[in-house]
Amino acid sequence: MKPANSEERMMYYGKGDVFVYRTFAKPLSGIQSIPESDFTGRENIIFGMNVKIAVGGEDFLPSFTEGDNRLVVATDSMKNFIQRHAAQYEGSTMEGFLEFVSRRFLETYPQMSSILITGKETPFEAALVPVDSVLQESCLVFRHSRNEYATVTLEMVRTENDAAIVSHLCGISDLQLIKVSGNSFTGFVRDEYTTLPEDGNRPLFIYLNIGWRYGDVQDAMGKDAARYVPAEQVRDIAGAVFEQVETRSIQHLIYHIGCRVLERFPQLEEVRFESQNRTWDTVVDTIPNSTGRVYTEPRPPYGFQGFSVIRQDLGQKGSNQ
Ligand SMILES: O=c1[nH]c(=O)c2[nH]c(=O)[nH]c2[nH]1
């Protein structure tokens, strides 16, 4: 909870893997539509997440130094607190729920002065079922998705007579995207250590975690759905930009995805990327009478990139190519 170089002592405790599945939460509707996405809202028939909470406060010092548990809220109780508050949450976003439950912790336990809370969505997709001979999304049956999932981290501190969010990051994790052609990687440093050939047309496979920060964190809560940024729309922007840009590298691609996200959502200040290169290895380069090839999984080690796109980048954006 404290930066590694902080003079202050590190001290926190909490609970991870707190699974919460709330059924029939309030649907999310009224979000802005964007050209890159057909996402219009969430039914929230299953509102599921994995929560991790860490609480801090000087009052916990004797629990470490003297074994004095008088102010210790058992982490088992924290788990119950989070799960039972899911029944009381009246909103429709993970951000809103985590803010709600963090405020309730600070209201209930004066010995807690800060909360760091993370939620990872457990994604479910509606099964398609026939209704009057037409396939429609079921309201009852869902497939547990193994694909990407939304994430939220909030840090909340007690203030004089209230609580305030001092940092936040919303996001989408484990997005795995491949573009089978239209990607090059050329012109990089060639010296005695270079064995990688230049490639004018590679199948670029990336693992992507994307995070975003709002100018006003209250926009993240979804009370005004028109100002909320759904992870599904960010996911769809990533796919659309990947399709549209002749990528010269992953570095080049993520910059353009970030610029597009900031263009679509003026309420955001920053978009952050962590990417990993999982480009397939070529096994058969040329197949007679076909433009296809045969590939296999890449071998470790894997390259990675980290990059933040900020508002100032929009003014200086280069060409899309
Ligand atoms: O998109 C890429 N960026 C790199 O920096 C790099 N380095 C490398 O070996 N392959 C790639 N691909």
Side-chain angles (χ1 to χ4, degrees):
M1 306 189 67
K2 295 269 172 273
N5 60 0
S6 164
E7 302 276 300
E8 271 178 74
R9 177 206 295 283
M10 181 182 81
M11 180 169 57
Y12 57 80
Y13 78 112
K15 199 83 160 178
D17 281 338
V18 179
F19 292 96
V20 183
Y21 305 113
R22 157 81 189 269
T23 52
F24 301 103
K26 186 177 165 202
L28 175 69
S29 60
I31 59 165
Q32 290 281 353
S33 72
I34 59 167
E36 292 85 358
S37 180
D38 64 358
F39 180 78
T40 55
R42 297 182 193 133
E43 293 295 328
N44 283 333
I45 296 172
I46 304 177
F47 181 68
M49 70 190 85
N50 177 351
V51 179
K52 180 175 180 184
I53 184 168
V55 308
E58 282 303 308
D59 289 351
F60 294 115
L61 185 59
S63 73
F64 288 86
T65 59
E66 291 162 39
D68 179 345
N69 289 336
R70 279 178 294 175
L71 292 180
V72 173
V73 177
T75 66
D76 188 65
S77 312
M78 293 181 193
K79 175 253 305 169
N80 296 336
F81 191 99
I82 293 167
Q83 289 168 338
R84 291 185 200 168
H85 276 80
Q88 290 168 31
Y89 177 55
E90 294 181 349
S92 53
T93 64
M94 191 159 64
E95 291 86 342
F97 173 63
L98 296 182
E99 183 199 29
F100 167 69
V101 80
S102 300
R103 276 187 189 281
R104 295 304 316 275
F105 266 111
L106 293 177
E107 283 162 14
T108 310
Y109 303 108
Q111 64 269 48
M112 295 180 184
S113 60
S114 63
I115 304 241
L116 183 66
I117 194 162
T118 295
K120 295 180 177 175
E121 175 199 16
T122 310
F124 289 91
E125 291 167 15
L128 284 183
V129 293
V131 178
D132 298 331
S133 311
V134 180
L135 287 178
Q136 290 187 6
E137 289 192 348
S138 172
C139 299
L140 297 174
V141 179
F142 296 82
R143 279 180 288 118
H144 185 179
S145 165
R146 306 277 166 204
N147 294 329
E148 65 280 340
Y149 53 88
T151 61
V152 181
T153 297
L154 300 179
E155 187 180 0
M156 191 177 273
V157 298
R158 184 182 298 285
T159 56
E160 215 155 297
N161 32 26
D162 196 11
I165 296 173
V166 290
S167 72
H168 73 279
L169 190 67
C170 308
I172 184 160
S173 283
D174 279 3
L175 186 56
Q176 301 185 4
L177 293 174
I178 174 147
K179 182 176 176 186
V180 293
S181 73
N183 315 287
S184 61
F185 185 59
T186 62
F188 48 88
V189 173
R190 297 214 79 82
D191 60 16
E192 70 267 37
Y193 300 107
T194 314
T195 52
L196 185 73
E198 303 226 326
D199 195 342
N201 189 16
R202 62 177 180 168
L204 183 55
F205 199 151
I206 55 170
Y207 287 7
L208 206 50
N209 294 340
I210 311 178
W212 50 93
R213 280 196 311 103
Y214 291 77
D216 176 355
V217 66
Q218 281 310 312
D219 286 339
M221 304 308 157
K223 287 185 194 122
D224 177 0
R227 297 198 54 85
Y228 179 71
V229 176
E232 295 86 343
Q233 288 186 338
V234 175
R235 170 202 68 198
D236 292 342
I237 288 175
V241 173
F242 203 177
E243 157 90 27
Q244 290 160 6
V245 173
E246 279 280 327
T247 70
R248 294 177 187 165
S249 65
I250 299 171
Q251 290 90 324
H252 181 226
L253 170 64
I254 60 181
Y255 171 72
H256 282 286
I257 296 172
C259 287
R260 184 73 62 85
V261 172
L262 288 184
E263 275 166 25
R264 292 291 176 244
F265 301 112
Q267 65 271 44
L268 297 185
E269 261 184 6
E270 181 192 353
V271 186
R272 288 187 200 173
F273 294 86
E274 292 169 346
S275 50
Q276 205 182 85
N277 188 353
R278 293 290 184 134
T279 295
W280 289 337
D281 285 344
T282 304
V283 179
V284 181
D285 201 18
T286 321
I287 302 176
N289 307 318
S290 169
T291 50
R293 293 176 182 167
V294 179
Y295 303 101
T296 189
E297 281 293 313
R299 283 162 303 209
Y302 307 112
F304 59 85
Q305 294 78 21
F307 193 65
S308 264
V309 183
I310 53 177
R311 288 250 142 236
Q312 283 98 300
D313 287 313
L314 288 189
Q316 298 155 14
K317 193 163 148 251
S319 87
N320 249 5
Q321 296 304 305

